[in-house]
Amino acid sequence: MTQTSAVLREGQRAIPPEIIVLAGCLIALITFGPRAAAGLFQIPMTEAYGWGRDVFSLAIAVQNLLWGLGQPFAGAVADKFGAVRVICIGALLYAAGLVVMAYATSAGLLNLGAGIMIGFGLSGCSFNLVLGAFGKLLPERWRPLAFGAGTAAGSFGQFLFPPIGNALIQSFGFEMALIVFAASVLLVLPLSLALATRGAAATAAVNVGPSQSIAQALAEAFRHPSYVFLVLGFFTCGFQLAFITAHMPAYLKDTGLPVWVGGWTLAVIGLANAVGSLYSGFLSSRMSKRWLLSLIYLGRSVAIAAFILLPATPVTAIAFGITIGLLWLSTVPPTSALVMLMFGTRYMAMLYGFAFFSHQVGGFLGVWLGGILYESMGSYTFVWWLSVALGVASAIINLPIKERPVERPVPQAA
């Protein structure tokens, strides 16, 4: 094994890169799946308890916000002490949140389980932590494809879980579906051992950049205009994805389409995203990352505009799922690659975590506004067009990004 190869040692055993990538991809698949299927539970839960869609939307919006809020802190702890503990605690909290959600007979319990517990749980065990571990544990030549593979695996979870969730809800009720999802999340615990690190000492060989404190790394990042542009552009990604995930099944049902169309639309988004994310990881090492991001955001706006202007049919819904799926998380490989290019791997998980926080603030607003404006206007039309406008804005925001390492004329003390 070469110097930066896989790296982790329990005793002095090095874990092969293939095993690290496989375990990380399985973690991403499992943790992304239940969250991606959240929209399936909106109608059965609101009908069972007499809630408006704004009640369910607020819980999922809180989930998105707290997932983003907790991400930089989870990333900082993983950067310093290793990823395994963070991933295990996150998975346990995630599974417990799904159980609370299953038996949430009040809006308060729904916010606790689906919002707070799952939100903070995701911040500790989702694909973002996996990407940070890949950046530290894998040889440089493995990283671009691994970033794409990790993102694609999360997408494949989105393909698998909605149809399974639909079948479980129809056969056993939404409560049992959530319990099954909770049990699946516990599989993350043994898988996380392959991503074990012993903190900074174990990963010093692959930490690129001068020794810095956390405060110095943050100050450097937020003084760097390209990082700020990247963070701002990522807001739109979260807005669009969270709104579609939470409200697409309900939107399609409102148009008179059968329930299965919503589940399969989310599923094909996940399947297409697996392809799009892998190809995005491939392109990230072969073309300008800022141009790739701009084209992705612009492509989303075109796809959304076409979808809402065409009549809603199973064919247009599935076609939209495939199109938007190819662009779904394809922003992640170039975004994570830009963070690593600018600042190195030492604080990769934390700095990507702050970008992801912007993503999740967008997600909070996308889900919450979807519910609020539906209740006040009776449709999702305004939020769809807002998604189009934000996509165009992000396409423009990413263009000034400079794709080079941050200038460090004077080495900083640790």
Side-chain angles (χ1 to χ4, degrees), residues 59-308:
I60 303 303
V62 168
Q63 177 191 117
N64 279 276
L65 185 64
L66 296 184
W67 182 7
L69 183 64
Q71 191 68 59
F73 299 100
V77 174
D79 284 334
K80 189 165 184 64
F81 298 107
V84 160
R85 297 171 195 170
V86 180
I87 291 174
C88 288
I89 292 170
L92 290 170
L93 191 57
Y94 188 178
L98 287 166
V99 173
V100 172
M101 182 179 173
Y103 299 106
T105 56
S106 69
L109 281 175
L110 182 67
N111 285 324
L112 174 64
I116 296 171
M117 296 175 71
I118 294 179
F120 280 131
L122 280 165
S123 72
C125 68
S126 64
F127 70 93
N128 305 298
L129 268 291
V130 171
L131 298 184
F134 282 172
K136 291 177 179 295
L137 299 176
L138 294 172
E140 187 172 354
R141 63 186 175 84
W142 278 76
R143 292 174 192 162
L145 187 58
F147 288 160
T151 308
S155 308
F156 195 65
Q158 184 172 348
F159 170 70
L160 287 178
F161 277 74
I164 293 171
N166 246 344
L168 289 171
I169 291 169
Q170 296 299 319
S171 301
F172 304 106
F174 68 84
E175 298 95 336
M176 182 56 64
L178 288 165
I179 296 299
V180 172
F181 282 0
S184 71
V185 170
L186 295 179
L187 296 173
V188 167
L189 301 179
L191 289 169
S192 67
L193 296 177
L195 304 183
T197 65
R198 297 182 187 271
T203 57
V206 294
N207 283 330
V208 178
S211 177
Q212 291 176 302
S213 67
I214 289 175
Q216 287 172 331
L218 286 175
E220 178 183 68
F222 283 100
R223 285 196 304 263
H224 192 47
S226 291
Y227 180 74
V228 175
F229 292 146
L230 191 66
V231 168
L232 291 174
F234 219 25
F235 171 93
T236 292
C237 184
F239 186 99
Q240 294 169 330
L241 271 56
F243 167 68
I244 293 171
T245 299
H247 293 287
M248 176 62 84
Y251 169 78
L252 293 174
K253 187 172 185 294
D254 289 343
T255 65
L257 296 177
V259 171
W260 67 265
V261 178
W264 277 103
T265 299
L266 292 180
V268 298
I269 287 174
L271 187 61
N273 187 25
V275 176
S277 298
L278 279 171
Y279 194 57
S280 176
F282 173 80
L283 290 177
S284 291
S285 60
R286 289 165 174 79
M287 68 174 286
S288 166
K289 298 170 186 59
R290 64 189 175 97
W291 277 104
L292 180 57
L293 284 170
S294 292
L295 290 171
I296 290 168
Y297 287 123
L298 185 60
R300 284 188 190 175
S301 290
V302 172
I304 292 170
F307 173 61
I308 58 181

